[in-house]
Amino acid sequence: MVMVFRGLFFVFFPVFFFASQADAAIPYVGGSTGFAFMSGDKLTINGTYLGDPEYDTGAAFSGALGMDFDGYRLEGEVAYQKNEIDNLGSDVSVLSVMANGYFDFQLEKSKIIPFVSAGVSYANVDVDALGDDGSDGLLAFQLGAGVGFQVSPTVTVDAKYRYFAAADPEIEIGSSKLEMDINSHNLLFGFRVSF
């Protein structure tokens, strides 16, 4: 938990430090929810390969604070997703603290705003399996693209695709060591409110 709070500090502090240097920056809050399609090509316990994980579609949620620089945005985001692993009878959840950058394609006289994004994060991966649970903290990144629709001068709704991947965790669960890939394709629907 201490690592999560440290991650929050190192993600949110730069966003507002750099924002304070630009008088034209507009602060905003945002959130999103949607579907997480986890994938991976290995699953081992104590060095024994168990095959490719078979994940159910999971849920994803996030909240963000950011600054809009009229064409690009910087934000700090906390995100969470959870998926069940069918062939292990378990589930995996990921709590991430991200620093994200967005580039908005400003279309003249249009309320539709396409965008692309990229980010880096600290991610805590937790696995509940074998009657116990364990976790590992890792570096992760995301790449995404989407489209926003400005419903008012201060409110934008959006839909976006995000690819999320983390370094391979090594998780101690009881006397067992579990290794797996962590990456997912997420489809998210959200909003931003500027003030």
Side-chain angles (χ1 to χ4, degrees), residues 43-54:
L43 179 62
T44 66
I45 294 181
N46 296 331
T48 301
Y49 178 63
L50 300 182
D52 294 345
E54 298 174 2

Side-chain angles (χ1 to χ4, degrees), residues 38-112:
M38 187 81 77
S39 62
D41 59 6
K42 73 176 183 180
L43 179 62
T44 66
I45 294 181
N46 296 331
T48 301
Y49 178 63
L50 300 182
D52 294 345
E54 298 174 2
Y55 294 99
D56 286 344
T57 300
F61 310 91
S62 71
L65 294 173
M67 300 297 291
D68 189 335
F69 296 88
D70 192 25
Y72 69 95
R73 291 177 277 129
L74 296 175
E75 71 176 27
E77 178 187 50
V78 177
Y80 177 82
Q81 70 178 66
K82 185 174 183 178
N83 296 80
E84 292 187 1
I85 310 175
D86 284 345
N87 58 336
L88 191 59
S90 64
D91 59 63
V92 56
S93 60
V94 181
L95 175 65
S96 58
V97 182
M98 287 192 170
N100 295 325
Y102 290 82
F103 181 81
D104 295 321
F105 297 91
Q106 305 281 356
L107 305 178
E108 187 175 357
K109 297 181 180 179
S110 176
K111 294 183 181 296
I112 298 174

Side-chain angles (χ1 to χ4, degrees), residues 166-188:
D168 295 348
E170 297 182 357
I171 299 173
E172 300 288 340
I173 301 179
S175 59
S176 300
K177 181 179 179 181
L178 186 147
E179 298 178 71
M180 62 196 305
D181 284 344
I182 293 294
N183 56 79
S184 68
H185 303 273
N186 295 352
L187 181 60
L188 304 168

Side-chain angles (χ1 to χ4, degrees), residues 137-168:
L138 310 159
L139 291 177
F141 74 94
Q142 66 93 1
L143 297 172
V147 61
F149 182 79
Q150 192 171 19
V151 297
S152 79
T154 59
V155 178
T156 301
V157 296
D158 62 37
K160 59 188 172 186
Y161 161 81
R162 171 180 289 177
Y163 173 75
F164 175 89
D168 295 348

